[in-house]
Amino acid sequence: MNQTRRVFSKNAAKIFDLCMLASSYAFVTALLFTNFKGTTLQEYLAYRVKIVNLFHFGLLLVFWHIIFSFCGLYVSKRLSTLYSEIIEVVKATTLSTAFLWLTGHVFHLKTITPEFSIAFWTCVTLVMVASRVLVRLVLRMLRSHGKNMRVTLILGTNRRAIEFAKRIQSRPELGYRVAGFVDDEWDGSAHFHGTGNEICTDFAGFSHYLRHNVVDEVAIFVPLRSFYEYASQVVALCEQHGILIRFDTQIFDLKIARSSADELDGAAHITAGATPHEGWQMFMKRAVDLVLSLVLLVVLSPLLLAVAIAIKMTSSGPVFFRQKRVGLNKRQFTMFKFRTMVPNAEKLQEVLLDQNEMSGPVFKIKNDPRVTKIGSLLRKTSIDELPQLINVLMGDMSLVGPRAMSVRDYQFFDQDWQRRRFSVRPGITCLWQVKGRNTVPFEKWMELDMQYIDKWSLWLDFKILVRTIPAVLRGTGAA
C-alpha cells in the first residue's frame, strides 16, 4: 500500500468512526425519548434544536476525534492482535462516554443521564468492535486469496532478524511474504543457512535487487554500531523508492524498558522506558488521586481536627511532622505527617543507630523511645499517614506507589536497580503495606516495589487500596 492509499484509509477510518459516534448518539437519544418518555418518533423529530445543543455536539465530535487518535486507533494494526485492538477501542469509547457525561453536566443538559451514558457506551462500543472485527475478517479473506499482501525484505541474518521472519510467517492473516534476507557471509552464516531461510542478495547487490523486484517494506536488523553508514545508505535508497522502512527498536538489547514511537515538531523519535509515564491509564490514575484525596480530606476533616488537637494537648511541638522526601525521578518535596515523636527526634536518631532493627538504609525501632503516647496509637492505626493526602492533592505523591524515602535514607542506596523505584510517584500505600509493612526486610521491600512497577495497572492499584484497609485494621508490622 503506497502512502496515498495509507492516508486515504486513515482518513476514511476517522470519518467512519465519527459517523458511528454521531449515529449512536442520535439512536440512543431517539430510543430514550420514544421508549422511556412516551414521545412518538414524529414528535421527537419535530423538536427544535437549541444553539447550546449544537455547540455541545460539535464539541463532542472534536474531542471524540482527539480521544480516538490519542488511544492509537489510527495507526497501522497489521501487526497487532485483535484483542489489543479491542482493548484500545474500549478505552476510547469509555473516555468518550466520560467526556459526554461530564460536558452534559457542564451544559446542564437533562438528556445526558446515567442511563443515557450507559446506553451510549454500550451501543458505540458494540458498533466499533463489530466494525474492527468485520474489517479484519474481510482483510483475512482477501489475504488468503493473495490480495492486500506486503512483500518484506529483511536486512541482516542475526537472531532478531530470524525471529521477526518467523513471527510474520507464522501468522498468514497479517498478509506478509518474506522475499528473503540481505547479508554478506559472516561467522553466523552457517547457523542462518540451517534455518531454511535464504539470502537473496548481498549488500553490494541490494540496490540492484530493489530496482528489479517487488518490495513493499525493508526491515533493518543489522547492528547499527558497525553498519551505521551502510544502514543510512539503505534508508536513503528506500526513501527514493518510496519503500516503507521498519527498524528493530531493540538495538540496545533492553531487558526491561519498552520502546515506542514519539514525535516532536514533526520529527520522529524512538523512546524506551521501563515505567509507564503517559497514556490513558496514567491520566486516570492522576484523576483518581485528585478526586479521592480531596473527598477523603473533606470527609475525614473532623478526625484530622481532633487528632491535631490531641497532639497539641499531649506534647509540645508542631502538629505536623515535615520532612524532605525523594519523589518522582529524585525530585525532593516536603512530606506531611502527624507528629508522633518528640520534637528533636531526628537529632536523637544518631544516638539510637545501634538499635536499628531494619536492614538496608531504613531506620526503624519497634519500641522507639522517641514516640509519644498519642503517637504510638496514631502509628498503630496509620492515622499519622493521613496528612499525606495533601501531598497527593499537590501532585508530589499518589495514593498507591513505592513508599517515599527520606533524603538521608536515599544516600545509603548502593545498587542502581533499586533506584528505579523513584521512576514513579511515591505512594501512601503499596505492596509493602499489605504484605507486612515494617516486618518486610529491605531487600524484599525493594523487590515488591519493582514488582509493582513492572505489573502496574489501574486494577492493581484498586486491589492494593482494598487490601490496605484490613492490613491497617490488623495493625501488623506498624512501628
Side-chain angles (χ1 to χ4, degrees), residues 92-106:
T93 57
T94 302
L95 289 174
S96 299
T97 305
F99 184 78
L100 167 66
W101 181 83
L102 179 64
T103 53
H105 280 265
V106 171

Side-chain angles (χ1 to χ4, degrees), residues 50-261:
K50 298 179 181 179
I51 296 296
V52 66
N53 295 96
L54 286 175
F55 178 79
H56 177 244
F57 188 70
L59 186 68
L60 286 176
L61 290 177
V62 171
F63 275 87
W64 282 342
H65 171 68
I66 293 173
I67 289 170
F68 272 56
S69 299
F70 178 77
C71 290
L73 294 186
Y74 304 121
V75 298
S76 175
K77 303 296 179 185
R78 195 169 189 125
L79 296 181
S80 63
T81 63
L82 175 61
Y83 174 77
S84 65
E85 189 172 6
I86 290 176
I87 293 297
E88 290 175 351
V89 169
V90 173
K91 291 176 186 176
T93 57
T94 302
L95 289 174
S96 299
T97 305
F99 184 78
L100 167 66
W101 181 83
L102 179 64
T103 53
H105 280 265
V106 171
F107 287 96
H108 303 291
L109 300 178
K110 295 181 180 179
T111 55
I112 311 300
T113 61
E115 293 80 7
F116 179 92
S117 300
I118 293 172
F120 172 79
W121 179 86
T122 303
C123 179
V124 76
T125 301
L126 289 175
V127 169
M128 293 296 180
V129 169
S131 66
R132 263 64 181 181
V133 172
L134 180 61
V135 167
R136 283 181 176 262
L137 289 174
V138 171
L139 288 175
R140 176 176 289 192
M141 181 181 66
L142 290 173
R143 289 163 184 167
S144 66
H145 289 83
K147 305 294 184 181
N148 191 240
M149 299 294 290
R150 280 190 190 176
V151 179
T152 185
L153 190 62
I154 302 176
L155 197 69
T157 54
N158 54 35
R159 175 181 53 82
R160 290 195 297 270
I162 297 171
E163 288 177 354
F164 173 74
K166 285 181 178 179
R167 285 200 300 271
I168 60 176
Q169 288 173 332
S170 65
R171 296 178 60 189
E173 72 274 10
L174 298 179
Y176 272 95
R177 181 173 68 82
V178 178
F181 293 76
V182 180
D183 206 344
D184 293 330
E185 292 293 327
W186 60 295
D187 294 341
S189 295
H191 170 72
F192 170 78
H193 292 308
T195 63
N197 295 296
E198 65 176 32
I199 295 177
C200 57
T201 180
D202 57 13
F203 290 144
F206 175 73
S207 58
H208 181 270
Y209 185 91
L210 282 189
R211 296 188 192 106
H212 299 90
N213 293 275
V214 175
V215 177
D216 297 305
E217 290 186 14
V218 172
I220 301 177
F221 285 88
V222 293
L224 291 187
R225 179 184 297 178
S226 52
F227 286 86
Y228 177 77
E229 287 192 14
Y230 180 76
S232 299
Q233 295 172 11
V234 167
V235 170
L237 188 61
C238 290
E239 185 180 30
Q240 291 172 6
H241 281 260
I243 294 173
L244 183 70
I245 307 158
R246 186 179 299 278
F247 293 97
D248 175 24
T249 59
Q250 293 296 329
I251 55 178
F252 298 110
D253 195 24
L254 301 173
K255 300 297 188 298
I256 302 173
R258 294 292 177 263
S259 302
S260 61

Side-chain angles (χ1 to χ4, degrees), residues 31-39 110-111 113:
L31 187 69
L32 182 69
F33 270 81
T34 55
N35 286 11
F36 297 100
K37 294 195 175 183
T39 306
K110 295 181 180 179
T111 55
T113 61

Side-chain angles (χ1 to χ4, degrees), residues 260-280:
S260 61
D262 203 352
E263 186 176 309
L264 176 62
D265 294 333
H269 301 269
I270 297 295
T271 61
T275 53
H277 289 288
E278 297 178 350
W280 75 275

Side-chain angles (χ1 to χ4, degrees), residues 23 36 40 54 89 93 130 202 209 211 231 239 252 266 277 328 350-351 386 390 397 399 404 426 437 442:
S23 300
F36 297 100
T40 64
L54 286 175
V89 169
T93 57
D202 57 13
Y209 185 91
R211 296 188 192 106
E239 185 180 30
F252 298 110
H277 289 288
L328 177 63
E350 299 301 323
V351 182
L386 292 180
I390 299 172
M397 295 180 62
L399 292 173
R437 295 203 269 185
F442 178 75

Side-chain angles (χ1 to χ4, degrees), residues 401-425:
R403 186 173 185 176
M405 304 292 289
S406 69
V407 175
R408 171 204 170 274
D409 291 347
Y410 176 76
Q411 302 302 325
F412 290 97
F413 274 64
D414 58 359
Q415 297 185 48
D416 282 332
W417 70 267
Q418 297 171 346
R419 294 185 175 89
R420 188 158 64 93
R421 72 188 304 280
F422 299 102
S423 62
V424 297
R425 281 190 178 92

